[in-house]
C-alpha cells in the first residue's frame, strides 16, 4: 500500500511539473502573439494608415487581446496546479478548450482565404486597390498629411514599386498636377532617390516595369496571414496537450480525495 501511495505521489508531482512547464510555454506563446500585435501597430502602422480601413488595425488589436487572454489563462492554470484546486482546474480546462476551438477556426479560415481566395479575398483586393490609389493621389504631399506622405515614400522604397496599380496612377495626383511641380512621379519612385529625380519616368530611372505597390502589398498581407494561420494551429495543438494534462491532474486529485 505504501508503495502504491509513493508511486501515486511521485506521479502527481511529475504531472504537476509537466503542467507548470506547459503553462510556461503557454505564457511564452501568449507573449509572442501580443508582441506580433504590438509590432504590427508600431512598425506597420504606416501601411495600415494607407489602406484607410479599420479591418487591418482591428486585426492587430485582436492579436493583442488574444495574447492577453492566453497570459490570463496561464495564470489561472498555475494557480490551479500549485493549489491543487479541482474547481479552478475545470475553469482552466474550459478556458483552454474555448481558445483551442477559436484558434483552430481562425487557422483554418486563414488557410482557406490564402489558398482558395473566396469572395472575401476579392473584397480585400478591391478595397486595397481603391483605398490605396485614392490615398496616394488625394493626400500625398498635402498639408496636414505628412504621415501619409512618409508612409507612401516608405512603401515605394521598401517594396520597390511606384503607384498603386502602376506608375501612371500618379498622373491623377493632386500634387503632381500642381503647376509649380516639376515631377512626373515622387522621388521615392526612383531606383536611386535624389532631389527632383522624379522628373524622368523612364524604366531605367523609376520602378515602372516592376508594377504597382498593390500587388506587393497584397502578397505581404497574405504571407502574414499564412504565418498567423500556422501559428494559430500550432498553439492550438499545444493546448490540446495541456487539456490532456489537466484531465490527468483532475483525475489524480479526485482519487486522492477518496
Amino acid at each position: 500500500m505504501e508503495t502504491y501511495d509513493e508511486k501515486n505521489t511521485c506521479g502527481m508531482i511529475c504531472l504537476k511539473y509537466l503542467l507548470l512547464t506547459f503553462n510556461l510555454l503557454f505564457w511564452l506563446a501568449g507573449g509572442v502573439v501580443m508582441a506580433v500585435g504590438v509590432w504590427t501597430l508600431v512598425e506597420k502602422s504606416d501601411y495600415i494608415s494607407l489602406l484607410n480601413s479599420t479591418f487591418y488595425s482591428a486585426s492587430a488589436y485582436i492579436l493583442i487581446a488574444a495574447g492577453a487572454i492566453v497570459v490570463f489563462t496561464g495564470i489561472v492554470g498555475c494557480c490551479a496546479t500549485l493549489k491543487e484546486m479541482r474547481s479552478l482546474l475545470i475553469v482552466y480546462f474550459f478556458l483552454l478548450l474555448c481558445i483551442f476551438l477559436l484558434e483552430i477556426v481562425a487557422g483554418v479560415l486563414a488557410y482557406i482565404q490564402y489558398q482558395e481566395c473566396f469572395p472575401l479575398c476579392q473584397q480585400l483586393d478591391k478595397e486595397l486597390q481603391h483605398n490605396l490609389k485614392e490615398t496616394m493621389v488625394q493626400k500625398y504631399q498635402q498639408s496636414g498629411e505628412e504621415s501619409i506622405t512618409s508612409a507612401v515614400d516608405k512603401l515605394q522604397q521598401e517594396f520597390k514599386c511606384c503607384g498603386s496599380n502602376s506608375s501612371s496612377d500618379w498622373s491623377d495626383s493632386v500634387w503632381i498636377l500642381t503647376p509649380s511641380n516639376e515631377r512626373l512621379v515622387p522621388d521615392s519612385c526612383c531606383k536611386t532617390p535624389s532631389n527632383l529625380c522624379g522628373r524622368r519616368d523612364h524604366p531605367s530611372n523609376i520602378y515602372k516595369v516592376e508594377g504597382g505597390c498593390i500587388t506587393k502589398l497584397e502578397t505581404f498581407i497574405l504571407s502574414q496571414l499564412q504565418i498567423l494561420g500556422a501559428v494559430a494551429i500550432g498553439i492550438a495543438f499545444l493546448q490540446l496537450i495541456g487539456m490532456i494534462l489537466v484531465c490527468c491532474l483532475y483525475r489524480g486529485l479526485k482519487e486522492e480525495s477518496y
Side-chain angles (χ1 to χ4, degrees), residues 226-242:
Q226 187 186 31
I227 293 168
L228 288 175
V231 169
I233 291 175
I235 294 175
F237 280 106
L238 179 66
Q239 288 172 237
L240 190 60
I241 296 169

Side-chain angles (χ1 to χ4, degrees), residues 54-236:
T54 57
F55 174 79
Y56 305 100
S57 56
S59 299
Y61 284 116
I62 288 170
L63 283 175
I64 294 171
I69 292 168
V70 167
V71 170
F72 170 75
T73 304
I75 293 170
V76 173
C78 276
C79 292
T81 305
L82 292 171
K83 294 186 178 181
E84 298 184 357
M85 295 173 62
R86 285 189 294 161
S87 58
L88 205 54
L89 278 173
I90 293 172
V91 173
Y92 180 48
F93 176 83
F94 279 106
L95 282 172
L96 283 176
L97 181 62
C98 290
I99 299 171
F100 171 78
L101 293 174
L102 285 172
E103 285 180 341
I104 285 290
V105 170
V108 169
L109 286 178
Y111 273 112
I112 290 172
Q113 186 168 347
Y114 177 80
Q115 292 177 353
E116 296 184 6
C117 206
F118 55 84
L120 283 177
C121 190
Q122 293 176 1
Q123 274 187 339
L124 171 69
D125 185 60
K126 289 178 181 177
E127 182 186 22
L128 277 169
Q129 287 186 25
H130 177 74
N131 289 341
L132 187 58
K133 183 178 178 181
E134 283 299 306
T135 302
M136 281 182 165
V137 299
Q138 296 296 329
K139 297 182 178 180
Y140 186 80
Q141 289 290 4
Q142 299 303 300
S143 178
E145 302 291 352
E146 289 78 12
S147 61
I148 295 293
T149 301
S150 175
V152 170
D153 289 337
K154 182 181 176 182
L155 177 70
Q156 293 188 143
Q157 278 297 298
E158 187 170 331
F159 288 104
K160 301 185 187 303
C161 56
C162 186
S164 177
N165 297 302
S166 67
S167 58
S168 61
D169 289 340
W170 287 109
S171 62
D172 299 322
S173 169
V174 174
W175 173 66
I176 292 293
L177 295 174
T178 305
S180 58
N181 182 50
E182 301 177 33
R183 299 170 180 83
L184 297 173
V185 293
D187 293 338
S188 57
C189 279
C190 298
K191 294 179 179 179
T192 307
S194 60
N195 188 37
L196 296 176
C197 67
R199 288 184 294 186
R200 289 181 62 247
D201 61 355
H202 191 271
S204 63
N205 185 50
I206 68 167
Y207 296 113
K208 194 167 188 175
V209 296
E210 288 82 358
C213 297
I214 185 67
T215 306
K216 297 184 178 183
L217 190 55
E218 282 175 335
T219 303
F220 170 77
I221 290 171
L222 289 175
S223 67
Q224 295 302 304
L225 194 62
Q226 187 186 31
I227 293 168
L228 288 175
V231 169
I233 291 175
I235 294 175

